[in-house]
């Protein structure tokens, strides 16, 4: 028996899911295939980062006013080029582009989906060889098919997501995506360039041992949240004390929390009232995926997925993770 006995590829899995819907057109499967293809290109580039002179800053500042790394630009171009060439996406919003990128050609205008991406999450980790990721979110257009996509297609609240996920470029490369039906993870077999289903039907444990928070903000958060952080580390925490794990890459923290149980938060801090993370292509996809897996996600007051975005690059505080830990947190925040 070969090692490929009884394993399913990403394409086979998405097409099999499609068969459950008699009127499905296959466009979502095609879009996920495009995302997987882009991720494979990015993965190759990441692996040769050290020798390909793509380390370090590219010398520009993005719309968020942060230093852009060369790999951010590379990955952004790959996602846009691959999806523009394909037939299943009408346009993209990316962390790396000030404005929406509307494809506006005959085949793209017929596509019913739009995509929002953080091409590289955790860019600060690139030149120190620590995990980075890509995050994506898919919506069905609200604008008329046959015409170019519009900004309204991208400014939908997170509950409308059709699919969302991330790719983690870690000790192996794994694509995890959710639809309302479930969350599944696919590991890249780099020898043949194929994603195989490795983590079927992921459920986040109700409680875990990890909390992810950047402690440099400890003195700049609300007294209520401070009490929660103290509780995480306290010997009086009957499930704890919890271990603090913070990679500077939400994808890496979220992936561990998804598999092992845990809580990630990037709250409102002094000087950053809305935290740092972007609602549309960081908070929403991670919150959707976590909720489908059985977890919860809020901005501290409100469910993330119910926030109506008004700007494609707006930020939001984020608390996301195991349901039991989110409930525990809430007793401190209320
Ligand atoms: P990006 O690389 O896309 O800018 O995102 C990095 C994000 C997130 O992944 C991470 O958890 C956080 O920024 C780290 O920020 P701090 O250094 O402020 O903690
Ligand atoms: Mn990011
Ligand atoms: Mn980024």
């Amino acid at each position: 028996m070969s090692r490929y006995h009884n394993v399913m590829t990403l394409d086979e899995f998405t097409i099999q899911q499609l068969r459950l819907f008699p009127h499905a057109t296959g466009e979502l499967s095609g879009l996920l295939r495009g995302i997987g293809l882009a991720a494979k290109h990015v993965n190759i580039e990441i692996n040769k980062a050290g020798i390909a002179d793509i380390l370090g800053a590219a010398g520009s500042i993005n719309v968020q006013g942060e230093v852009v790394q060369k790999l951010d630009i590379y990955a952004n171009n790959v996602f846009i080029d691959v999806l523009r060439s394909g037939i299943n996406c009408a346009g993209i919003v990316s962390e790396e582009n000030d404005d929406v990128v509307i494809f506006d050609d005959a085949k793209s205008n017929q596509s019913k989906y739009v995509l929002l991406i953080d091409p590289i999450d955790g860019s600060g980790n690139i030149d120190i060889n620590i995990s980075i990721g890509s995050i994506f979110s898919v919506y069905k257009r609200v604008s008329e098919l046959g015409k170019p996509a519009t900004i309204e297609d991208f400014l939908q609240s997170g509950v409308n997501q059709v699919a969302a996920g991330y790719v983690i470029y870690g000790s192996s490369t794994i694509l995890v995506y959710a639809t309302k039906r479930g969350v599944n993870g696919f590991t890249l077999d780099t020898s043949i360039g194929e994603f195989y289903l490795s983590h079927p039907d992921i459920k986040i444990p109700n409680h875990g041992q990890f909390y992810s928070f950047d402690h440099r903000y400890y003195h700049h958060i609300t007294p209520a949240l401070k009490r929660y952080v103290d509780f995480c580390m306290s010997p009086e925490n009957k499930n704890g004390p919890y271990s603090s794990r913070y990679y500077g890459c939400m994808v890496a923290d979220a992936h561990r929390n998804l598999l092992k149980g845990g809580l990630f938060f990037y709250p409102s801090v002094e000087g950053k009232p809305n935290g740092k993370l972007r609602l549309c292509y960081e908070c929403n996809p991670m919150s959707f995926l976590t909720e489908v897996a059985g977890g919860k996600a809020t901005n501290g007051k409100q469910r993330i997925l119910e926030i109506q975005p008004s700007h494609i690059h707006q930020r939001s505080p984020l608390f996301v993770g195991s349901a039991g830990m989110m409930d525990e947190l809430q007793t401190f925040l209320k």
Side-chain angles (χ1 to χ4, degrees), residues 62-126:
N62 70 6
V63 64
Q64 322 286 344
E66 296 148 355
V67 176
V68 180
Q69 303 286 308
K70 286 181 188 173
L71 195 60
D72 291 273
I73 297 169
Y74 178 87
N76 191 41
N77 290 340
V78 166
F79 273 96
I80 290 175
D81 290 348
V82 167
L83 290 150
R84 193 198 289 272
S85 314
I87 58 167
N88 301 299
C89 185
I92 285 189
V93 151
S94 165
E95 181 185 13
E96 303 303 337
N97 294 95
D98 298 15
D99 296 320
V100 293
V101 179
I102 306 293
F103 292 160
D104 194 9
D105 56 64
K107 64 178 168 46
S108 303
N109 290 348
Q110 288 298 336
S111 307
K112 62 180 176 198
Y113 296 113
V114 293
L115 184 70
L116 295 89
I117 52 168
D118 177 358
I120 295 291
D121 178 62
S123 323
N125 289 350
I126 293 169

Side-chain angles (χ1 to χ4, degrees), residues 95 118 120-123 214 216-217 246 249-250 266 276:
E95 181 185 13
D118 177 358
I120 295 291
D121 178 62
S123 323
D214 189 340
R216 80 174 136 145
Y217 298 121
Y246 193 79
C249 169
M250 177 175 57
Y266 203 117
K276 175 184 184 190

